[in-house]
Amino acid sequence: MMVNVLRRYPIALNIFWVFLVILVPTPLLLALFVSMGSIATDQRLLIAAGIIAYTWWLLAVFLSTRPKWLERAVGLPKMYLLHGCLGVIALVLAFLHEHYMVSMGQWIIVTGKLAWYLTLFGVLFAAFFMSGWIVDHFPTAANVKIRMQKVIKHQFSIWIHRLNIVAILLVWLHVELIGRVNGHLMFMVLFELYTFGVLGYYGWYKLDQKEGKMAGKVVKNRRLNAKTFQLTLEFQDNVPNLLAGDFLFFTFPTLSQETHPFSLTNKPSEKSHVVVLTIREVGDYTKGLSAVTVGSSFYAEGPFGQFSRIIESEPEKDLTLIGMGTGVAPLMSIAKRYHSRRNIHLIWTVKNKEDEFFRSELENLNDNRLKSFIQVGRVTTYELSQLLSEREIKENRFFVVGSSLAVLSVERSLKQIGVSKQNLSDERLTM
Ligand SMILES: Cc1cc2nc3c(=O)[nH]c(=O)nc-3n(C[C@H](O)[C@H](O)[C@H](O)COP(=O)(O)OP(=O)(O)OC[C@H]3O[C@@H](n4cnc5c(N)ncnc54)[C@H](O)[C@@H]3O)c2cc1C
């Protein structure tokens, strides 16, 4: 019920976020200030800034465990956005606390300063390497990132990001050392519950991920062209409830313990436990994965994704699907699932002729409800205006999938020709 309300009404979602970020620090603030009695207002504000920053970092850690119920309501990108915003705003509050609060104890100062510098580094690093906040808007920064990613791989970035847990433990120690705080029993009980509740849950989530609740075997590994291959996987334990266009985080233990997201290319069905993935070799992991053998085991976390839910919630809308490169994978899944019920226009752009590996499959699917268009090279704004009818532009639901920069560029073009923001949904395959 709540999930449906959050999904349907953006205002409900905003109220939910505001409520959540106010609610989370409130018990700690009340417990401390009631117990402390009267203190100067500036001191009170600075202490409050520190407590709010700390609880928001804990909330950000909780969100990093990708809670399923929340993902189903709002989608992973919005969860990651809140995760990032909390990190940044908490950093500002922590700065006020660290900079203006007077403290006498040497270790109190050292732990506080270390935590602050560590989170400052963590936030700047994540903003550049793990989000599109900087690189999506500055092409030079994007080029620098692409070059640096040859050395600083995504998996390394994840480990750097985990330094935030060390920062949280430093803040925990910092608070434990403050004499005028650690004597307030109710506050300290809540403080320990918050800290070890969230860190314990995070640790359990990581272990649970490794256990691999949804597991299965590779049943086919087929090459589509020099750079792309298709894996067919069969779930054996705890088959997930998959919807068209969903993605999952996969781990192939024979390769490594890393988890990487890939989208469904096939039409999921209740009877079949099979998923088909279309994967482009872009880096070390995907290159290694291309050689995975039949019979190898895998496990998965998910499913995630909003596409099918959006489609089901708008029964009157036809669909325009725009995929760049392997971004077509989830769109193939949607096309196969919905072309008997909706009018679908699928536009697929590829780098070169050899990348048109779905051409014949799409031609077979083409009928009076599905039309597809394949082009070598990106579509320009003008080409889009020629390809799409007035009715499509005004009324259709658009799904755009590809690398972050390609998605943003196509979305800019779509807006220029009159597609409204409300009708645009996307999935970005790069970070
Ligand atoms: C929601 C989603 C669905 C995706 N679906 C597909 C698909 O169906 N087919 C396909 O070929 N690719 C898909 N991708 C992209 C795929 O996950 C990456 O190409 C792959 O993880 C790259 O790993 P690498 O080590 O080979 O390359 P790298 O050189 O390490 O990375 C290449 C790019 O992928 C990003 N990336 C690397 N590892 C991860 C990770 N663990 N999680 C998220 N991003 C990562 C990097 O930030 C970089 O932008 C999807 C990505 C997302 C976010």
Side-chain angles (χ1 to χ4, degrees):
M1 163 74 178
M2 188 172 111
V3 167
N4 284 338
V5 172
L6 291 179
R7 202 164 44 225
R8 281 191 83 88
Y9 305 103
I11 181 81
L13 180 62
N14 291 335
I15 293 171
F16 174 75
W17 287 147
V18 172
F19 181 72
L20 194 68
V21 296
I22 293 176
L23 185 77
V24 165
T26 302
L28 281 177
L29 292 171
L30 284 177
L32 188 64
F33 292 138
V34 168
S35 172
M36 270 184 158
S38 69
I39 53 165
T41 309
D42 60 337
Q43 291 292 298
R44 193 182 285 266
L45 288 176
L46 291 173
I47 294 173
I51 292 175
I52 294 171
Y54 185 66
T55 54
W56 284 1
W57 277 325
L58 289 176
L59 181 57
V61 171
F62 173 72
L63 289 176
S64 74
T65 63
R66 308 193 266 253
K68 252 322 202 357
W69 59 275
L70 198 52
E71 194 279 336
R72 279 314 189 199
V74 304
L76 265 194
K78 285 197 181 124
M79 268 166 59
Y80 283 151
L81 181 66
L82 180 68
H83 169 90
C85 290
L86 284 172
V88 173
I89 303 169
L91 187 71
V92 176
L93 292 174
F95 169 75
L96 296 174
H97 178 86
E98 185 271 336
H99 207 67
Y100 295 107
M101 193 85 204
V102 180
S103 183
M104 294 300 178
Q106 191 198 355
W107 283 107
I108 300 172
I109 297 172
V110 169
T111 48
K113 280 204 182 303
L114 267 179
W116 193 79
Y117 283 116
L118 206 53
T119 39
L120 173 66
F121 168 73
V123 166
L124 292 177
F125 185 89
F128 188 75
F129 283 103
M130 306 186 77
S131 78
W133 289 2
I134 297 171
V135 294
D136 285 353
H137 305 285
F138 303 100
T140 318
N143 286 333
V144 171
K145 180 178 165 183
I146 289 168
R147 277 169 201 208
M148 290 181 81
Q149 273 185 330
K150 295 204 170 89
V151 186
I152 301 175
K153 303 277 180 197
H154 184 78
Q155 215 56 29
F156 179 71
S157 303
I158 290 177
W159 277 105
I160 296 278
H161 200 51
R162 287 186 187 137
L163 285 177
N164 285 320
I165 303 286
V166 178
I168 285 175
L169 288 171
L170 281 167
V171 179
W172 170 79
L173 188 58
H174 171 81
V175 173
E176 294 286 334
L177 292 170
I178 305 172
R180 61 182 168 148
V181 170
N182 63 19
H184 299 279
L185 182 66
M186 191 59 198
F187 172 79
M188 288 311 287
V189 169
L190 282 176
F191 181 71
E192 307 300 347
L193 278 176
Y194 267 61
T195 307
F196 294 104
V198 171
L199 294 186
Y201 181 72
Y202 178 79
W204 173 83
Y205 162 78
K206 286 285 160 199
L207 284 176
D208 193 52
Q209 236 186 356
K210 285 212 178 342
E211 291 277 306
K213 286 203 295 195
M214 296 182 320
K217 296 254 184 263
V218 177
V219 291
K220 199 167 167 189
N221 181 353
R222 182 166 78 98
R223 191 143 278 285
L224 297 180
N225 70 13
K227 283 268 177 197
T228 318
F229 59 100
Q230 203 164 57
L231 288 185
T232 306
L233 311 176
E234 186 165 15
F235 281 98
Q236 286 162 345
D237 300 325
N238 299 314
V239 180
N241 183 16
L242 296 164
L243 299 174
D246 275 353
F247 65 93
L248 298 100
F249 286 82
F250 289 93
T251 303
F252 294 83
T254 48
L255 210 61
S256 79
Q257 288 300 322
E258 291 178 22
T259 60
H260 287 253
F262 297 108
S263 313
L264 253 68
T265 308
N266 60 322
K267 167 178 152 183
S269 99
E270 276 169 24
K271 288 183 212 115
S272 160
H273 303 160
V274 165
V275 293
V276 178
L277 310 177
T278 305
I279 300 174
R280 186 162 179 92
E281 295 174 30
V282 291
D284 294 345
Y285 188 81
T286 40
K287 279 187 189 125
L289 189 57
S290 69
V292 76
T293 50
V294 170
S296 303
S297 58
F298 76 90
Y299 52 87
E301 181 199 347
F304 299 101
Q306 294 285 310
F307 287 177
S308 279
R309 280 173 195 81
I310 295 173
I311 296 172
E312 295 294 345
S313 69
E314 301 171 334
E316 74 292 353
K317 287 203 173 166
D318 289 330
L319 311 173
T320 303
L321 314 175
I322 305 180
M324 277 80 73
T326 15
V328 77
L331 304 179
M332 289 296 286
S333 172
I334 289 173
K336 288 174 199 164
R337 173 80 178 80
Y338 287 102
H339 87 286
S340 58
R341 293 199 264 147
R342 304 280 178 103
N343 291 321
I344 296 182
H345 189 176
L346 191 149
I347 297 168
W348 180 28
T349 64
V350 291
K351 279 213 177 93
N352 46 53
K353 271 265 162 222
E354 295 74 60
D355 286 336
E356 295 179 354
F357 38 79
F358 287 139
R359 179 177 278 282
S360 57
E361 198 174 344
L362 275 171
E363 280 166 1
N364 287 338
L365 277 179
N366 277 350
D367 56 17
N368 55 355
R369 299 216 79 167
L370 184 134
K371 62 176 172 172
S372 58
F373 171 81
I374 305 173
Q375 171 167 302
V376 175
R378 294 260 177 88
V379 271
T380 61
T381 310
Y382 174 74
E383 283 165 340
L384 280 170
S385 72
Q386 298 300 299
L387 278 168
L388 303 171
S389 70
E390 269 304 305
R391 202 183 139 270
E392 259 185 281
I393 291 173
K394 290 271 160 312
E395 293 173 17
N396 274 24
R397 159 64 54 188
F398 284 74
F399 292 108
V400 185
V401 186
S403 72
S404 190
L405 289 177
V407 166
L408 288 170
S409 148
V410 166
E411 286 186 336
R412 262 194 305 274
S413 297
L414 289 172
K415 283 181 203 154
Q416 275 170 27
I417 62 171
V419 175
S420 94
K421 205 172 159 226
Q422 277 70 35
N423 283 338
L424 273 177
S425 304
D426 68 41
E427 201 155 85
R428 304 176 194 185
L429 307 188
T430 51
M431 290 190 172

